[in-house]
Amino acid sequence: MTIQASDRAAVAHFVRVCGSGVVASIGAGGEPQASYVGLTATDDGVLLFDATSDSRKVANIRERPRVALAVTGADTSVQLEGRARIAHDEERWRLGEVYSERFPGSRALDVGFELIVVEVDWVRVHDAAEHPPRVIEATWQ
């Protein structure tokens, strides 16, 4: 799947099709902590995942919002970096509906769960279907 790193809609589509990835957050001692999550995206490239309120990633994001994510398909992988936050109030319900459309039966809007929103600011696409592999980076403003 050939996608351009600067094309938010194409990156978002890739994330939605893959449906999962690994998110890395920063622990209290500065150590990286990674977790496999169900993942979707809005059309403009905002990433969404849910987590239990008492999880390490939620605690990390509250204190240190920078995260990195990796999403892989058959021949393509996408690395993303950005600032994460916990969705609240109207935003939580609006984006929770987007998340629930991708993951019916999700508990993202239940008590004891949080919906995490990631505003992406850097993307790297590695396309191994081409020889040599094509690697393209983009900064999103």
Side-chain angles (χ1 to χ4, degrees):
M1 172 185 289
T2 301
I3 60 175
Q4 297 298 319
S6 60
D7 185 342
R8 288 176 186 253
V11 170
H13 177 74
F14 179 80
V15 169
R16 285 193 297 267
V17 167
C18 292
S20 62
V22 175
V23 61
S25 58
I26 304 165
E31 71 284 0
Q33 297 177 350
S35 181
Y36 186 73
V37 295
L39 191 62
T40 194
T42 64
D43 289 338
D44 58 350
V46 174
L47 305 181
L48 305 171
F49 64 92
D50 69 345
T52 58
S53 300
D54 61 354
S55 68
R56 294 188 321 168
K57 65 187 146 294
V58 167
N60 293 346
I61 288 166
R62 288 186 198 282
E63 297 299 318
R64 292 160 300 282
R66 292 292 300 170
V67 296
L69 298 102
V71 180
T72 59
D75 293 319
T76 303
S77 64
V78 177
Q79 295 168 248
L80 308 109
E81 294 179 2
R83 293 184 65 78
R85 68 177 186 279
I86 312 298
H88 294 285
D89 303 323
E90 187 276 329
E91 180 188 49
R92 180 176 184 195
W93 294 105
R94 181 175 48 83
L95 293 177
E97 290 297 319
V98 171
Y99 190 81
S100 294
E101 283 178 22
R102 176 61 177 88
F103 298 105
S106 161
R107 298 182 65 196
L109 296 175
D110 290 356
V111 172
F113 284 80
E114 305 294 348
L115 181 66
I116 313 300
V117 179
V118 181
E119 298 283 347
V120 174
D121 55 36
W122 179 84
V123 177
R124 180 179 188 259
V125 175
H126 181 272
D127 185 347
E130 296 186 23
H131 298 286
R134 182 177 61 94
V135 178
I136 298 177
E137 295 181 9
T139 301
W140 291 4
Q141 301 295 329

